Each structure stands twice: as C-alpha cells, then as structure tokens.
Amino acid sequence: MALRCIVSVLRFGTPRVAPLSTAPVAREQPVAREQSAAGREATSGCRAAEGARPPLPVVDFGNTQEAYRSRRSWELARSLLVLRLCASPALLAHHEQLLHLTRRLLGQSLFDKLMKMTFYGQFVAGEDQESIRPLIQHNRAFGVGSILDYGVEEDLSPQEAEHKEMESCTSAVEREGSGTSKREKQYQAHRAFGDRRDGVISARTYFYANEAKCDSHMETFLRCIEASGRASDDGFSAIKLTALGRPQFLLQFSDVLTKWRRFFHQMAAEQGKAGLAAMDMKLEVAVLQESVAKMGIASRTEIESWFTAETLGVSGTLDLLDWSSLIDSRTELSKHLVVPNMQTGQLEPLLSQFTEEEERQMTRMLQRMDILAKKATEVGVRLMVDAEQTYFQPAISRLTLEMQRKFNIEKPLIFNTYQCYLKDAYDNITLDVELARREGWCFGAKLVRGAYMAQERARAAEIGYEDPINPTYEATHAMYHRCLSYVLEELKHNAKAKVMVASHNEDTVRFTLRRMEELGLHPADRQVYFGQLLGMCDQISFPLGQPIPIPVLVHKEDVSGDLEDSDT
C-alpha cells in the first residue's frame, strides 16, 4: 500500500538528547491536538488573538541519532544497502534486465521474498490495508503521518503501451481519417512518445484500456480514501486523472484552454500589454470587443452580452481570470468555441466533434471525479490531484479547479498540484490564488518540482515546440521558492488556506521553516504540511516530527497493487 506520511504540528519544547532507542521520545502534546477542528480552522485574526506562542523550535537535520531513532539496526543496514544500490548509475541503467535475470535464477517465490527484504521493504508499506497498519502507527508515534496512494502499474511492453496510448489519445474522427486534427502538435499523440513511462522513475503511469478498467481504478481510489480516513483524522489521499478516463479528452481540453489563453495574450500584445505578469495584464474591454467583432467570432450584440458588469465588474478592463471564465459552460460563449489563428487569419474550432460514445466516456470521467471527491468529503480526507505531463496538465488543473469550487467551501478538501520546474508555474499559482479570493473558496495546493523533466524536454525538441521546463536547476529552485513564498504569504492572511511542501530538498525545507517564522505561521495552525517518499528522506521527515510536530507525510507502495503508501 502506498503511504505518504505527514508531520503536521511542531511540538512545543526543546528537543531532548536521549540514548539511542527505537521508542518514541516521551513529550507533552501541544495544545493544538486538544482543540476542535473548528478551533484549528480559526481565522487569522483569532490566530493572532491567541496570545504569544513559543518560537518555532530549531530542527536539526544533522542529528542522526534523532533522525533515525525510529529505525531498528537491521532497518538502518537495509537502508544503507538499498540507497547505495539505487545511487549506482550502472545498476540504474540496467535495472530491468537485472530484475528479469534475478527472477529467472531464483524463481518467483524467492524473488518476491528478496524484494520484500530489500527494495520493497524500504519503499513499500505492505500488501493490503491490514499489513500497512503497524507501519502507520509506528510512524505516527514519531510525529509522521501518512498519505495513501494507489501505485500499481500495468505490466505492459513498450509496444503494448504505445498502442494503447495512440488508440486512447486519438478521436474516432481522426482514426477514421475523415478529419484532420485541429489540435496543436503539442496536444496530439505522437508514437515516439507513446510509452509515457519512458524516462519517468518517480511517478506512476496509467494507460487507458476501457471504461471498466477506469471504474476499477476508481474503486481502488475509494478504498485508499476510506483507509486514510480510518488511519487518521488528518488524512490525505492522492489520485491521477489519467486513471479515471480516456486521455483524449484531457488532450483536447488542454488544447482548448491553451489556445484561449494564447488568444488573450495576443490581444494584450495588440494593446501594448505584452510582457506583464499574468495578474497585471488587463485589457480594455471596448478595444477587445472591437477586435473580436472584426474577426467574425460572433455578432456585436452577442459580444457585448459577454462583457457585462455582472460578469466582469465595472472597471472597463478584463484580466486573464475574467477571460478564462468566458469559456465556462455558464456563459453563452461556450457555443462559440472558435479562435482566430493569428498566422493564417482563419477561425479554427477549439474542440473537435465528439461521437456519442466519446461524449458518454467524457461524462463518466467527470462522474468518477465527483464520486471520489464526495467520498473524501464524507470521511474527512483531503484529496490531492497529482500533476502529470504538460500536454494533459491544463485540463487536469482546470478540472481540479472545478472540484475546488464545489468542495472547498468550508476548508480545502481538494488540493491542486503545481509543478515548479515549469516556466509558467508562478503565473498558474497566482491566478488560482486570486480566483479563490474572488469566488470565496478555500485554496489548497501541493508544490512539487516535477517528475517528467527528461521526457518533456525530449518531446518538445523532437516535435518542435517550446521547452516548457525551466532552463536550469537553479531556475527551478528559485521558481519553487518564489511560488512557495507567495502561497505562504496567502496563508498568513487566510487561515483556511493550506499548502503541502512536497520536497526532499533540505534547503527548501529550511527555507519554508524560516518563512513560517517570519510570517508568524505556527505548526499548531496546521496550514503547512511537508511530504517525502517513504524510506527516501528519513533524515528530513523524522526530525520535522520530533520537536513540535510539523505536519509531514510519507508515501509507500504496496506489493500486491491494492493500495500504495507513498509520501510526496
């Protein structure tokens, strides 16, 4: 079972030095653990009124005695062996061949035992809900919580994966050859990148088979959510949207959203607003109406009905959030899904025509998302929607946003994931924070660096579109801290907003703790969570849980494929 562990509240008091032991350090529980949920969700004004709090304790990541107190001697020996093997370039380059050879030499039974004693034992929580329970309880005793995540992949050959991808990412019209795809090449399926597992190590990959398989994935996610609810009153679970439906729809919707946003930027350039930050780019509505009417997208009367005081306010200007809202089904513009191609001057349809079966499949995908969100709400579990490849991500983020609008009314139950190795990460997160402010729902985010860098770069170079990834490691590091700092500022002013800092980077964790202290964000408020993969970063996860528990999550996988315990 994949388990992500969360350390959620820093403990009050000074960390004690004690003889090496695998027993948790005895300590007083913070007052926050005695408060009701309502108390924990207090407003920022109430937070300040609670009186002076003790400062954040110093978290010592160099104190290995405290960091590995939870581990028995044989577990430390296993960690040393497994992590050193995983750091071997030669082993990583030939791991599949070595695994197949070992399985043939030992037989399946002995091979399984060897894996459970080594790699699976290090990173995987168990095979079912019962087998992971002791580990969850053990980690919780040291201040580390869990996120349950489904982590099994189908055993497909590269050729089988490629075939499934091409079939599921192409519409019936395109397959029959009766229509040419109007999608940009970034949002079309490409055979050379049909196996989305290639070059991806730390993220699971799903390939569409049929609707029954998607239903099966949904049932597994439901079991994860239920197990997380039973394991903790502060639980998390994670899902991937590519497991819930046909990826063709994600590609097509991503293409729509990207073209619509690009059209806004083109109009901004015409009005001399190019180069501004996303939230600072405001267009004059009267000038925009004139431009749209000249392009023949709709009649002057129809266009004027889109831009009203009710929909846009009375400022006479329109920003990217206002523009994006026009494509919602709540407006008349939904039937005008065409956009001008600025190079050809021709109007092009934004969305290809669906067959009746494709429309039913898309509806069922949305229904599965709704069922999972309702179950998470019912059992009090936060649901994190994982980020995926950039050609799926605009649709994934937009569908997640719609779930947030519906379910994040009183507190953030749905968390969107932001990949900070992307050039547009800061624009994306600032736009979503502003939207939450305007519409009055609770913002919830998980910040990651990203899992698909090599694949994304190779695909962009091969197919011929701009590389979406930041050019250097340093640029990604700076982007992560910029996005994180912006979100932490929002948390200071909005006690209902929450963030998951999903990072194995010690500098980033230290940066977060420093900014929390500067902004007066105390662990007892349970607004900031940290997440690492189980068994990968104990020297960060467990020190965070020791002084005053800071919310920390760890993620493990299960051997059988029922559930996977993984941290972020």
Side-chain angles (χ1 to χ4, degrees), residues 335-547:
K335 64 184 180 183
H336 296 287
L337 292 180
V338 294
V339 68
N341 183 317
M342 303 302 283
Q343 294 180 339
T344 66
Q346 301 297 312
L347 293 177
E348 296 180 352
L350 279 176
L351 199 58
S352 302
Q353 184 176 2
F354 289 154
T355 65
E356 290 185 7
E357 176 57 26
E358 287 173 339
E359 288 185 358
R360 286 193 292 269
Q361 290 173 352
M362 183 169 62
T363 299
R364 286 196 288 267
M365 182 181 188
L366 301 177
Q367 290 171 340
R368 293 181 190 109
M369 293 171 58
D370 194 62
I371 289 170
L372 292 173
K374 286 178 178 176
K375 172 58 72 173
T377 303
E378 177 187 325
V379 301
V381 168
R382 272 72 59 85
L383 196 62
M384 297 190 301
V385 181
D386 284 345
E388 303 192 46
Q389 284 88 348
T390 53
Y391 42 93
F392 294 138
Q393 193 55 43
I396 291 172
S397 292
R398 183 54 179 264
L399 294 174
T400 303
L401 187 149
E402 294 300 330
M403 293 168 66
Q404 290 178 311
R405 280 172 162 160
K406 182 175 180 179
F407 294 98
N408 288 12
I409 306 303
E410 298 297 328
K411 56 184 178 181
L413 287 167
I414 309 298
F415 280 54
N416 203 355
T417 300
Y418 298 88
Q419 298 165 304
C420 294
Y421 67 3
L422 298 180
K423 295 174 182 176
D424 59 1
Y426 186 76
D427 281 350
N428 291 337
I429 206 163
T430 54
L431 286 168
D432 287 357
V433 168
E434 176 61 24
L435 185 65
R437 291 173 186 158
R438 292 185 188 184
E439 298 185 346
W441 45 269
C442 301
F443 182 76
K446 179 176 76 168
L447 300 188
V448 303
R449 279 174 168 78
Y452 307 99
M453 183 177 70
Q455 186 185 98
E456 293 280 10
R457 287 197 189 284
R459 192 176 189 271
E462 176 70 21
I463 297 171
Y465 57 88
E466 182 183 354
D467 185 352
I469 308 297
N470 289 316
T472 64
Y473 168 82
E474 291 75 18
T476 290
H477 192 67
M479 178 67 80
Y480 193 104
H481 287 193
R482 185 186 184 198
C483 293
L484 176 57
S485 190
Y486 180 86
V487 173
L488 292 176
E489 289 275 1
E490 176 66 12
L491 266 58
K492 176 183 178 181
H493 302 290
N494 180 0
K496 289 189 175 183
K498 297 182 187 292
V499 66
M500 165 71 69
V501 183
S503 177
H504 299 90
N505 187 294
E506 189 174 313
D507 288 342
T508 292
V509 174
R510 292 184 185 278
F511 173 83
T512 307
L513 295 175
R514 183 171 67 252
R515 291 294 290 141
M516 288 174 66
E517 187 167 19
E518 292 169 355
L519 295 169
L521 297 171
H522 201 276
D525 297 321
R526 303 172 74 85
Q527 286 185 277
V528 181
Y529 295 82
F530 292 86
Q532 293 85 37
L533 290 167
L534 179 73
M536 283 189 64
C537 227
D538 288 353
Q539 77 277 12
I540 290 180
S541 301
F542 286 91
L544 285 171
Q546 292 306 303

